[in-house]
Amino acid sequence: MLWKTVLLLALVDPVLVLENGLLRKPPMGWLAWERFRCNINCDEDPKNCISERLFMEMADRLAQDGWRDLGYTYLNIDDCWIGGRDAQGYLVPDPKRFPNGIAFLADYVHSLGLQLGIYEDMGNFTCMGYPGTTLDKIIQDAQTFAKWKVDMLKLDGCFSTPEERAKGYPLMAAALNATGRPIAFSCSWPAYEGGLPPKVDYSLLAEICNLWRNYADIQDSWKSVLSVLDWFVEHQDILQPVAGPGHWNDPDMLLIGNFGLSFEQARAQMALWTVLAAPLFMSTDLRTISAQNVDILQNPLMIKINQDPLGIQGRRILKEKSLIEVFLRPLVNDAFALVFFSRRTDMPYRFHSSLARLNLTCSGLYEAQDVYTGAVISGLRPETIFTVIVNPSGVVMWYLYPIKNTGISQQ
């Protein structure tokens, strides 16, 4: 076993664990967990169980229904795909639910112009009790994923100790890079350490992970969305500076298209995740999603804002007694994204403000395009008073730009 220990130590080299050049913009795609969980009952529910069929059908929808062309390119497997380990200790998928193997699925996904993500856990077991990646299996599993032509690894943290996580996540980053295959690395490490310094070293995370889960899993409810948002806002002074091209805070999946959000709340989550420069991972049934929810998720201007090349995470800049909050994200070409968000539960609220009141005091003339309606608000100077009408649990979102340099547009 000594040679394995020496090899593991040799891999923890700054050259190997630094920037891998991936995910210069927040990743976009589809992830199975929130909608399909650990449904392995393929006898009674063959269309919705975690299986080769499910992922191939979702890949078809991503490719054929406009998602891929807008940037939703990742198709990510979550927990419950593993069948065990073979006699040599290599991971194998469940033979009944993935009869052709993961490499076959990767080839299929790649043939559609998509990328495949996979899941493991830095511990004895995955969160649902399947074989995990223990320290002695890190190199072997990284090589397996590369052999299968996987494009992203999400590494969870159930059934592990803080000491194992502190060793394991940097080792896996190094092992992935050492395979020679570009594999984006999604780390759940900070979520298991409370998400904050001193237990979480975000400087280290930015060197070894492309994105990381900071907080608890999102559930299919508005209450859950607000709990995630509240935590991110409460700690924005810590979280906002550490995000950027190649290393993103991940507030978890989009619930849009499922059961727990109203129309206004779905639009609010999309806008708020976008202003936070969050990864956009849908987790819904793309075979049955409504046209209304497609419109939210496929909004071209929203996606362009999310994918802004500066990669600056937005912040809440105003919290009013009226229960209106304002979020701001700087964009290229001296533009901004503004989100006016209502926590009210009574009726639409008329919110009056000006750019100067929001500390946007640049000289000159601005226009704003409503991201959802497409309406253009012209003639905005810092002192100009404007009014937005925000529905309960809803948002108004503006793309604000100087008229001399319009940058991106809805068209």
Side-chain angles (χ1 to χ4, degrees):
M1 296 297 293
L2 180 60
W3 69 271
K4 285 189 175 181
T5 303
V6 172
L7 183 56
L8 278 169
L9 291 172
L11 277 171
V12 188
D13 183 300
V15 175
L16 287 175
V17 300
L18 288 172
E19 177 70 62
N20 60 15
L22 300 175
L23 302 193
R24 306 306 299 173
K25 298 176 182 179
M28 299 171 58
W30 183 89
L31 200 156
W33 181 255
E34 210 300 308
R35 176 62 181 82
F36 296 96
R37 303 287 173 149
C38 192
N39 179 0
I40 59 173
N41 187 358
C42 292
D43 293 331
E44 294 184 7
D45 197 10
K47 285 192 66 176
N48 299 305
C49 64
I50 300 302
S51 66
E52 181 180 285
R53 172 183 175 178
L54 177 69
F55 289 99
M56 291 177 71
E57 290 184 359
M58 291 302 162
D60 291 341
R61 299 277 55 82
L62 286 172
Q64 297 173 25
D65 297 344
W67 303 102
R68 176 196 63 200
D69 297 338
L70 287 166
Y72 291 98
T73 59
Y74 281 98
L75 179 82
N76 286 11
I77 304 169
D78 210 272
D79 205 347
C80 306
W81 65 271
I82 300 172
R85 292 186 182 272
D86 66 16
Q88 289 74 44
Y90 288 96
L91 287 168
V92 292
D94 184 278
K96 181 178 179 181
R97 292 184 286 115
F98 295 86
N100 293 297
I102 302 302
F104 165 84
L105 186 57
D107 286 341
Y108 184 79
V109 167
H110 294 155
S111 76
L112 298 176
L114 302 168
Q115 297 166 288
L116 184 69
I118 205 163
Y119 169 100
E120 245 296 2
D121 186 283
M122 183 62 254
N124 293 315
F125 303 98
T126 72
C127 294
M128 298 305 297
Y130 292 83
T133 297
T134 48
L135 290 172
D136 62 318
K137 294 293 186 184
I138 286 175
I139 294 173
Q140 186 176 27
D141 289 355
Q143 292 172 345
T144 296
F145 299 142
K147 180 181 178 181
W148 288 344
K149 300 179 184 177
V150 164
D151 304 294
M152 180 184 291
L153 170 65
K154 173 184 173 182
L155 193 63
D156 216 333
C158 286
F159 300 103
S160 63
T161 66
E163 293 75 22
E164 288 168 337
R165 293 190 290 272
K167 293 178 182 178
Y169 279 96
L171 283 171
M172 179 57 84
L176 290 173
N177 284 355
T179 67
R181 178 172 181 81
I183 300 176
F185 191 24
S186 171
C187 304
S188 297
W189 185 12
Y192 287 86
E193 313 295 344
L196 299 170
K199 289 187 176 181
V200 177
D201 181 349
Y202 278 107
S203 296
L204 174 61
L205 277 171
E207 291 184 347
I208 66 170
C209 306
N210 296 113
L211 62 157
W212 49 75
R213 286 283 312 285
N214 318 66
Y215 188 60
D217 288 356
I218 200 167
Q219 307 296 331
D220 194 5
S221 74
W222 182 235
K223 179 181 178 182
S224 181
V225 171
L226 290 180
S227 72
V228 174
L229 179 67
D230 289 346
W231 189 86
F232 269 76
V233 169
E234 180 182 357
H235 304 295
Q236 65 181 6
D237 288 345
I238 294 169
L239 301 175
Q240 191 268 344
V242 301
H247 44 93
W248 309 100
N249 293 305
D250 182 4
D252 212 0
M253 294 160 281
L254 297 167
L255 304 176
I256 301 154
N258 293 331
F259 310 103
L261 302 188
S262 70
F263 171 68
E264 294 293 338
Q265 291 163 354
R267 299 210 316 174
Q269 191 196 13
M270 187 70 177
L272 290 162
W273 263 230
T274 290
V275 84
L276 291 175
L280 298 182
F281 284 120
M282 305 178 289
S283 187
T284 188
D285 193 337
L286 299 178
R287 301 165 298 191
T288 59
I289 188 172
S290 70
Q292 187 178 71
N293 286 313
V294 170
D295 286 345
I296 295 171
L297 290 162
Q298 291 194 356
N299 184 303
L301 182 53
M302 183 75 72
I303 291 169
K304 288 180 181 178
I305 292 170
N306 177 269
Q307 298 287 287
D308 184 79
L310 288 183
I312 298 173
Q313 181 173 315
R315 302 169 60 95
R316 187 177 71 185
I317 60 170
L318 188 66
K319 180 182 180 182
E320 294 276 277
K321 291 181 180 178
S322 62
L323 301 183
I324 301 296
E325 301 176 10
V326 182
F327 291 74
L328 176 74
R329 179 181 173 186
L331 306 171
V332 294
N333 298 323
D334 299 317
F336 299 90
L338 276 169
V339 174
F340 306 93
F341 170 50
S342 174
R343 292 183 186 252
R344 299 179 69 91
T345 57
D346 52 358
M347 60 185 293
Y349 185 82
R350 302 179 70 88
F351 177 71
H352 309 285
S353 192
S354 68
L355 299 182
R357 187 174 171 219
L358 301 177
N359 291 321
L360 293 172
T361 55
C362 300
S363 60
L365 200 60
Y366 275 76
E367 282 185 351
Q369 184 170 3
D370 188 304
V371 175
Y372 280 121
T373 70
V376 174
I377 302 91
S378 300
L380 290 170
R381 298 186 182 278
E383 66 277 7
T384 305
I385 302 298
F386 60 80
T387 301
V388 292
I389 302 173
V390 194
N391 292 338
S393 300
V395 294
V396 170
M397 185 173 184
W398 282 5
Y399 168 61
L400 181 72
Y401 50 88
I403 58 170
K404 63 181 180 180
N405 189 3
T406 56
I408 59 178
S409 69
Q410 183 73 33
Q411 300 303 317

